[in-house]
Amino acid sequence: SKGEVVLVNQYRFGTEQASLEIPGGMADPGENPKTAAVRELKEETGFESNEVIEIGRVESNPAIMSNHTYTYLALNCKKLGDQSLDGTEDIEIIKKHIDDIPQLIKEGAIQHALVVSAFYFYNLQGKSFNPSFCCSFDYYCFLSISFKGNSWS
């Protein structure tokens, strides 16, 4: 149905439980964060998009880390292949309507801070989108990529 967000549910060793998140990962050395985001989307979900826009950037944890995490929104995603997971990844794909995301955050189904910030960035951007934007695409893919360094240029 229109307006669905592609999420991933994966086990996180730090919390010793599954975590409902957006696809994401680390940029390889020398890799553009946007390129890494597109790669991670394809690897983790099999979805692809030809329209990927940056909607935000945060300092992941400036007290102890020097990386930034970029948030991208891939519009009109299409499932064009199978997952291509790393040996340690076990990822379940879950689709939720974009309108359900605030409640998932409120009830604690989505707890990952970088994922919550991604949807906050979407909310900020949404004010500049046309009114029918929310449901004009079948699938939305939000992507989170960590990049070591101050910025990508």
Side-chain angles (χ1 to χ4, degrees), residues 73-128:
L73 174 59
L75 303 173
N76 208 23
C77 295
K78 296 184 183 336
K79 180 120 169 104
L80 298 177
D82 295 326
Q83 290 174 303
S84 177
L85 302 175
D86 295 336
T88 60
E89 292 179 314
D90 182 17
I91 296 175
E92 174 189 12
I93 299 169
I94 295 175
K95 298 171 196 147
K96 297 288 185 181
H97 195 274
I98 190 73
D99 292 340
D100 296 336
I101 298 300
Q103 186 61 33
L104 291 170
I105 293 169
K106 185 177 180 180
E107 67 191 25
I110 295 175
Q111 294 188 10
H112 194 301
L114 295 174
V115 177
V116 173
S117 73
F119 289 115
Y120 179 75
F121 284 131
Y122 172 77
N123 187 52
L124 291 175
Q125 293 288 329
K127 293 175 179 21
S128 64

